[in-house]
Amino acid sequence: MSFESHELLGRLAEGLRREIAPAVDDEYLRTQAHMAAVILERLAREAALGERHRAAEAADLAELASGLGEIVGIDGASQSQAAPEGVRSALARLQDDPDVMSLGLVVEALYRWGPERPAAAAALDAIRSVLRRDIDRRMDIAR
Amino acid sequence: MAHTTPADSAELAAVLSDYLAERLGTTRPVEVCDMERIAVGWSHETWLFDAVWPQDGTEQRMGLCLRRDPGNALLRDKSDLGEQFRVLKCLEGTDVLAPRAHWHEPDPAVLGAPALIMERVPGVCPSPWRRAGREFYAAAAGRGVLPASFTNALAAVHNVDWRSAGLDFLGVPEDGNDFAHREIDKWESLIEESGHEGHPILADLIGWLRHHAPPVDRLTLVHGAYRTGNVLIDDDRVSAILDWELQVIGDPMYDVAYVLTELNREGTELLSNVVPRELFFERYQQATGIEIDEERCAYYQLLYAMRSAAFWMSAAGLYADGSNSDLRLARTHWSVTVALERAATELGY
């Protein structure tokens, strides 16, 4: 018999919540036991959803990274470079390391460029769509 | 909040007894009675007790509140008991309902940690995050006295002549939008101290806040966390405003935004669970002469979203770096996610 990690974590959480915590007399320690159960439940959800979430994030970022260059006016073919160096290098880093956290540098660079510029605003909109999907996935675990 | 055993309480009571005898100038023993640690938040420890001692044949009794800084509180160096003591001393003699501070002990060797002792003001402070607390506030609101008192107490904070009171030591923002930038800087620094990796939504929020920082017309004393749960209520009136940890000289709309936010009420349209919106607007504006600017309040609600994220990142960081072993801090790792989701919603996505 073997457990999937999320199943084991879930059962540990249940044991803590239903049997161990209620048996603890000290109020503070009882609270700690309940909190350990809450944490294990979230870890169980992370284990259950992790692979699916990572795949969704990778797909979102691939699509975004390929679209952002065009949005901000970086055209590799013609060497036309509307965006400043800060934006271009942040986008290059995103393409090298397609991770949601890399989007932070792109966002910062876009604000430095000027969010009122149509190209920067359009780029932020595209990024925000991805960030909304990302935070919704994280909320599946955090709720 | 670290675990407190009966032995810890007894030891603290003994040390306090000696400390108070010296401060009160009595050679007679001071008894520390009915000592109780209040379980509130992850800031400083708070203890309530009575000091009792004989003087001229009669029993003297003083209700006191002790706050101690364990060095692993959520606000880190953003909250300082010495500053709190100084603020409370400045507020003495003003119309602001603040507890009277008696002593500040910065040497951790004396009372186990840097400490502040103030008067214990009569009143209760039900938690608005619990049903019983919200029922308390709803009932009090229905009796019609507390809503006005709550509003008037905030107006008094904004009306105080902070320069004459000596509160400019808190730092005075320059003209324009310096206040907002100072607050953003403060919470950015807390995020950095937390060791949290940050998040693009936070980068977006900070960028937006810096880009839209509003100018301030009139600088006032700002409490920074004015809501039910941070005020003592006695006989349906605010008897004291508590938690003087986040005060600044700044835009009064920062406090007004905190009252208006739906995050500080639950299951009711009453602001902060206690005051009808129309009454708050009318009374506040009349008492202060300040017109409530809802657009600026909307800006500050986004600034509070950043502050909230900073708080949770700091809390999670205290557990992650081993400063604090309370598992409730470990759980705040996911509170960061909730705060970021809210920020994204407030930004419109």
Side-chain angles (χ1 to χ4, degrees):
Chain A
M1 183 175 72
S2 65
F3 287 105
E4 294 278 356
S5 346
H6 70 271
E7 287 172 339
L8 181 55
L9 290 166
R11 286 184 63 175
L12 286 171
E14 197 176 324
L16 264 170
R17 188 190 290 286
R18 292 210 176 160
E19 295 180 39
I20 296 172
V24 176
D25 285 335
D26 182 276
E27 187 190 339
Y28 174 77
L29 294 174
R30 188 167 58 247
T31 305
Q32 294 293 291
H34 275 297
M35 200 47 55
V38 168
I39 291 168
L40 286 170
E41 282 163 357
R42 275 154 184 76
L43 292 174
R45 275 183 234 153
E46 272 187 15
L49 297 171
E51 203 175 310
R52 194 195 323 164
H53 282 186
R54 281 188 292 276
E57 178 184 317
D60 274 348
L61 287 170
E63 188 181 338
L64 180 66
S66 74
L68 275 178
E70 192 178 326
I71 290 172
V72 300
I74 297 173
D75 183 335
S78 70
Q79 300 300 304
S80 155
Q81 296 175 345
E85 170 57 32
V87 172
R88 284 184 278 119
S89 63
L91 283 180
R93 277 187 71 164
L94 175 65
Q95 275 163 349
D96 290 343
D97 180 19
D99 177 84
V100 160
M101 302 311 277
S102 299
L103 284 174
L105 293 175
V106 180
V107 169
E108 286 170 7
L110 288 169
Y111 269 101
R112 279 193 298 272
W113 188 24
E116 65 285 350
R117 295 171 185 273
L124 280 169
D125 278 346
I127 290 169
R128 284 168 176 166
S129 296
V130 168
L131 292 180
R132 169 43 68 182
R133 287 196 291 276
D134 173 73
I135 202 69
D136 282 346
R137 287 190 293 266
R138 290 173 194 253
M139 285 294 284
D140 284 343
I141 295 160
R143 257 186 212 99
Chain B
M1 184 169 76
H3 189 32
T4 306
T5 65
D8 296 329
S9 304
E11 191 183 323
L12 178 58
V15 168
L16 265 173
S17 176
D18 292 339
Y19 182 85
L20 291 170
E22 196 182 318
R23 297 292 173 296
L24 291 167
T26 177
T27 54
R28 311 302 296 274
V30 174
E31 191 184 348
V32 171
C33 308
D34 303 323
M35 191 154 192
E36 178 193 359
R37 183 171 173 187
I38 302 175
V40 288
W42 291 311
S43 188
H44 303 134
E45 300 172 3
T46 305
W47 304 75
L48 302 179
F49 61 96
D50 278 355
V52 181
W53 71 101
Q55 188 171 303
D56 301 327
T58 61
E59 180 183 273
Q60 306 299 308
R61 181 176 284 261
M62 188 186 264
L64 293 167
C65 172
L66 163 74
R67 297 207 82 186
R68 281 199 317 181
D69 180 357
N72 60 0
L74 186 153
L75 287 172
R76 302 176 188 243
D77 65 355
K78 306 291 175 282
S79 174
D80 173 70
L81 286 176
E83 180 178 295
Q84 285 182 52
F85 177 76
R86 203 171 160 188
V87 166
L88 292 175
K89 295 308 277 184
C90 287
L91 290 175
E92 280 178 23
T94 71
D95 289 333
V96 176
L97 295 169
R100 179 180 287 267
H102 292 302
W103 304 287
H104 171 233
E105 180 50 67
D107 184 353
V110 176
L111 293 174
L116 161 64
I117 300 176
M118 63 187 110
E119 68 169 334
R120 190 175 71 207
V121 179
V124 295
C125 186
S127 169
W129 316 124
R130 299 193 172 174
R131 185 163 64 179
R134 290 192 295 278
E135 287 173 355
F136 172 90
Y137 293 117
R143 291 189 290 272
V145 175
L146 183 55
S149 177
F150 181 85
T151 308
N152 292 343
L154 177 62
V157 172
H158 295 168
N159 280 342
V160 76
D161 183 342
W162 51 268
R163 283 195 199 276
S164 299
L167 285 162
D168 46 358
F169 81 90
L170 290 170
V172 182
E174 290 172 21
D175 289 345
N177 59 15
D178 187 42
F179 168 65
H181 283 289
R182 283 174 170 237
E183 284 296 293
I184 296 165
D185 289 344
K186 187 193 311 181
W187 303 123
E188 249 191 316
S189 112
L190 184 63
I191 290 166
E192 205 174 298
E193 285 167 47
S194 76
H196 200 282
E197 61 182 340
H199 190 277
I201 290 175
L202 192 59
D204 193 3
L205 178 58
I206 293 171
W208 188 94
L209 286 168
R210 289 207 183 278
H211 229 75
H212 293 88
V216 180
D217 320 313
R218 172 176 152 183
L219 292 172
T220 71
L221 175 64
V222 168
H223 178 267
Y226 189 78
R227 58 169 175 80
T228 48
N230 283 340
V231 294
L232 280 175
I233 313 291
D234 186 35
D235 194 22
D236 275 2
R237 285 179 171 77
V238 174
S239 53
I241 302 171
L242 306 175
D243 276 350
W244 291 91
E245 292 189 72
L246 296 168
Q247 68 279 327
V248 287
I249 303 301
D251 192 343
M253 291 303 105
Y254 199 35
D255 274 339
V256 171
Y258 207 63
V259 173
L260 297 183
T261 180
E262 62 182 35
L263 297 177
N264 281 335
R265 64 179 180 269
E266 194 174 323
T268 178
E269 289 302 308
L270 296 175
L271 304 179
S272 205
N273 298 297
V274 80
V275 54
R277 183 184 165 93
E278 210 172 284
L279 185 152
F280 177 77
F281 270 65
E282 190 185 314
R283 247 187 196 266
Y284 176 84
Q285 291 177 152
Q286 191 174 60
T288 61
I290 299 172
E291 191 176 334
I292 292 177
D293 182 335
E294 291 193 72
E295 205 175 305
R296 284 217 314 270
C297 288
Y299 172 88
Y300 289 125
Q301 292 192 11
L302 274 151
L303 184 44
Y304 282 127
M306 180 194 176
R307 188 173 91 170
S308 181
F311 282 177
W312 295 128
M313 287 176 177
S314 179
L318 289 171
Y319 185 85
D321 69 17
S323 300
N324 196 317
S325 60
D326 192 330
L327 284 176
R328 291 172 295 176
L329 292 173
R331 189 247 178 275
T332 62
H333 167 75
W334 291 282
S335 304
V336 173
T337 302
V338 174
L340 292 176
E341 195 279 333
R342 191 174 301 140
T345 302
E346 296 270 7
L347 282 170
Y349 65 96

